[in-house]
Amino acid sequence: EDIYNLLRFKMGGYRAVMPRMDTNSLGCGLRTCYRYLNQTSRSFAAVIQALDGELRHAVCIFYLVLRALDTVEDDMSIPLDVKVPMLHEFHSHLYQPDWKYTESKEKDRQVLEDFPTISMEFRNLSKVYQDVISDICHKMGVGMAEFLEKKVDSQREWDKYCHYVAGLVGIGLSRLFSASELEDSIVGQDTELANSMGLFLQKTNIIRDYLEDQLEGREFWPREVWSRYAKKLSDLAKPENIDVAVQCLNELITNALHHVPDVLTYLSRLKNQSVFNFCAIPQVMAIATLAACYNNQQVFRGVVKIRKGQAVTLMMDATNIQAVKAIMYQYVEEIYQKIPSTDPSSNKTQQVIASIRAMSLPGGPMASRHHYSPIYLSCAMLLAALSWQYLSTLSKATEEYVPAGEN
């Protein structure tokens, strides 16, 4: 589930009822691809289908290619000596019309079994889109193979792992935005900001999913951090360790908050409304999730949820940079009010919140010449937001946005 626990862009976690896109004008292959998209992505499908023009098809194919790669990575029935070469070579199958894999037992195996339809539509895309998708697929496959047998140790490795499974998704999407000419070239060229978009989402999901990952035998919290609080990562779930567990949680949330200034800078550059909605919604979901998790013992006891009504409101409001800055300000203030004076990370948390405040205040250095009003929301986005009354926990909400979310 590495890959898109983004595009699990881990998007984070909604279970959405999709407004149906009119597919009558599409060829048979594209119609099949959109059917697979709706079957495998929940929330991500909604925002993809609200994108403008040919970018919609490019992002749909990008998602399905990464979902197929992720399915290989997730499939524990494939021996390592087979899986590692598969991950390394997966991008080459995009140019092999007949390649498919029929041995998978994973729930999304249809994208491997019918990969010829996906690869055909990939080859129908403009070369500028093909080059981006193939390049990201190659880099992600190599990164996934690297972490198959390796646990995340240092904070540097945490960033590297999150780069492979989510940062690369952000970079690839940004390059597609620029290739479509809906956004300026700087959006695709500034890979550091695009990487931060993915890292913020991925770290949020990893932090929130501590207990779920423990129950499934997965560990993504960096040893360098948790080893200061416990002998084993699983020890944090023991009731007698709840105080140090929460301190460890707060340190990781503080680490994740350092990406917020980059997120705000990135969003301030976007000009196209459908792209802005696509990018901003998972980011505001993530900050709301971190605020709910901060200093919260429930992370180690069950699922921390944001209210469904709160999620719908965020999706409806996050339509321009000033609104997103206000949302970010609101949630970092909520975190600030909960910082325990005795928390080992309290000073660092206060410092990063101060930097986010400075960027979020009206008239601050982030004032953008682009101001979007909710009135410009596409009909599809409005319908998507309204139908997202069926949102499950944020846990599934950002989860689908990022193709490489959990492993």
Side-chain angles (χ1 to χ4, degrees):
E1 299 242 352
D2 251 349
I3 222 179
Y4 239 99
N5 270 324
L6 213 321
L7 287 140
R8 308 176 181 168
F9 230 176
K10 257 178 164 216
M11 193 182 141
Y14 343 121
R15 225 170 261 282
V17 172
M18 279 289 306
R20 290 292 171 191
M21 182 179 71
D22 179 14
T23 57
N24 292 334
S25 60
L26 303 179
C28 180
L30 261 182
R31 279 203 303 273
T32 299
C33 287
Y34 278 103
R35 187 173 80 249
Y36 292 156
L37 175 68
N38 281 288
Q39 289 170 352
T40 58
S41 83
R42 297 189 289 271
S43 59
F44 197 61
V47 282
I48 287 177
Q49 290 174 98
L51 287 169
D52 291 340
E54 62 183 12
L55 177 62
R56 177 190 305 153
H57 301 328
V59 175
C60 173
I61 300 304
F62 184 42
Y63 177 89
L64 292 177
V65 168
L66 295 186
R67 172 57 72 198
L69 178 67
D70 192 35
T71 302
V72 171
E73 194 269 351
D74 273 351
D75 195 331
M76 302 307 292
S77 70
I78 305 175
L80 278 182
D81 61 343
V82 175
K83 184 183 290 188
V84 169
M86 277 186 76
L87 292 173
H88 278 269
E89 298 163 11
F90 196 85
H91 67 288
S92 66
H93 302 320
L94 292 166
Y95 299 97
Q96 298 165 0
D98 298 326
W99 185 88
K100 58 185 173 183
Y101 184 73
T102 57
E103 308 300 317
S104 178
K105 304 294 188 293
E106 293 293 298
K107 66 181 188 307
D108 293 329
R109 60 186 177 274
Q110 62 187 3
V111 295
L112 289 170
E113 294 172 349
D114 192 20
F115 198 75
T117 296
I118 296 169
S119 67
M120 176 183 69
E121 292 304 329
F122 163 84
R123 294 187 298 277
N124 285 339
L125 295 172
S126 301
K127 185 175 186 298
V128 65
Y129 297 130
Q130 291 184 37
D131 290 347
V132 172
I133 294 170
S134 176
D135 180 52
I136 296 298
C137 182
H138 186 196
K139 289 174 178 172
M140 188 172 286
V142 170
M144 287 177 154
E146 178 182 333
F147 277 90
L148 273 180
E149 292 189 288
K150 180 167 94 174
K151 287 189 176 179
V152 178
D153 192 1
S154 66
Q155 292 185 68
R156 182 185 295 271
E157 282 188 336
W158 199 37
D159 281 1
K160 188 178 184 182
Y161 168 76
C162 292
H163 164 73
Y164 283 140
V165 302
L168 281 173
V169 179
I171 290 168
L173 287 168
S174 300
R175 288 169 59 188
L176 294 177
F177 298 157
S178 294
S180 72
E181 299 186 353
L182 292 176
E183 298 296 347
D184 291 339
S185 58
I186 185 64
V187 172
Q189 292 166 357
D190 196 334
T191 55
E192 187 173 341
L193 291 190
N195 188 61
S196 288
M197 292 282 285
L199 262 61
F200 185 57
L201 298 176
Q202 186 65 20
K203 288 181 177 181
T204 296
N205 284 282
I206 287 173
I207 290 166
R208 180 203 60 216
D209 291 344
Y210 166 84
L211 193 61
E212 177 184 325
D213 287 338
Q214 279 293 303
L215 294 173
E216 296 187 16
R218 300 189 300 250
E219 294 191 356
F220 301 113
W221 284 25
R223 176 185 296 271
E224 180 184 345
V225 175
W226 64 254
S227 63
R228 293 198 292 269
Y229 300 92
K231 290 183 178 179
K232 294 185 298 182
L233 182 56
S234 58
D235 289 345
L236 295 179
K238 296 178 178 177
E240 63 268 25
N241 295 329
I242 193 62
D243 291 341
V244 292
V246 168
Q247 290 175 358
C248 182
L249 168 71
N250 291 348
E251 180 173 346
L252 291 180
I253 290 175
T254 300
N255 175 297
L257 288 173
H258 281 88
H259 299 295
V260 173
D262 278 358
V263 167
L264 291 173
T265 302
Y266 181 100
L267 293 174
S268 73
R269 291 175 173 173
L270 301 179
K271 300 185 298 184
N272 178 271
Q273 183 69 61
S274 72
V275 172
F276 187 90
N277 297 337
F278 178 96
C279 295
I281 288 172
Q283 300 294 333
V284 297
M285 291 292 190
I287 192 69
T289 299
L290 289 183
C293 290
Y294 184 81
N295 209 50
N296 188 348
Q297 298 179 357
Q298 185 62 23
V299 171
F300 303 96
R301 297 170 176 164
V303 179
V304 174
K305 305 179 182 182
I306 62 169
R307 299 184 310 277
K308 293 177 186 178
Q310 177 186 4
V312 172
T313 298
L314 286 171
M315 287 186 286
M316 294 297 290
D317 288 350
T319 58
N320 65 79
I321 186 60
Q322 298 301 336
V324 170
K325 285 159 63 175
I327 291 167
M328 292 288 189
Y329 187 94
Q330 169 194 339
Y331 284 111
V332 297
E333 284 301 303
E334 188 177 307
I335 292 172
Y336 185 84
Q337 296 301 325
K338 294 194 287 189
I339 298 175
S341 58
T342 56
D343 191 89
S345 304
S346 61
N347 287 341
K348 288 184 179 179
T349 312
Q350 290 168 355
Q351 288 169 10
V352 69
I353 287 177
S355 67
I356 297 169
R357 277 178 177 155
M359 296 187 75
S360 301
L361 288 170
M366 291 283 309
S368 168
R369 67 184 188 278
H370 307 300
H371 184 79
Y372 304 115
S373 164
I375 197 170
Y376 295 115
L377 270 174
S378 68
C379 185
M381 275 306 301
L382 267 175
L383 287 171
L386 291 172
S387 62
W388 283 349
Q389 307 281 352
Y390 282 96
L391 281 178
S392 72
T393 67
L394 181 106
S395 179
K396 298 298 181 206
T398 65
E399 175 186 25
E400 288 282 3
Y401 206 74
V402 195
E406 291 190 334
N407 294 359

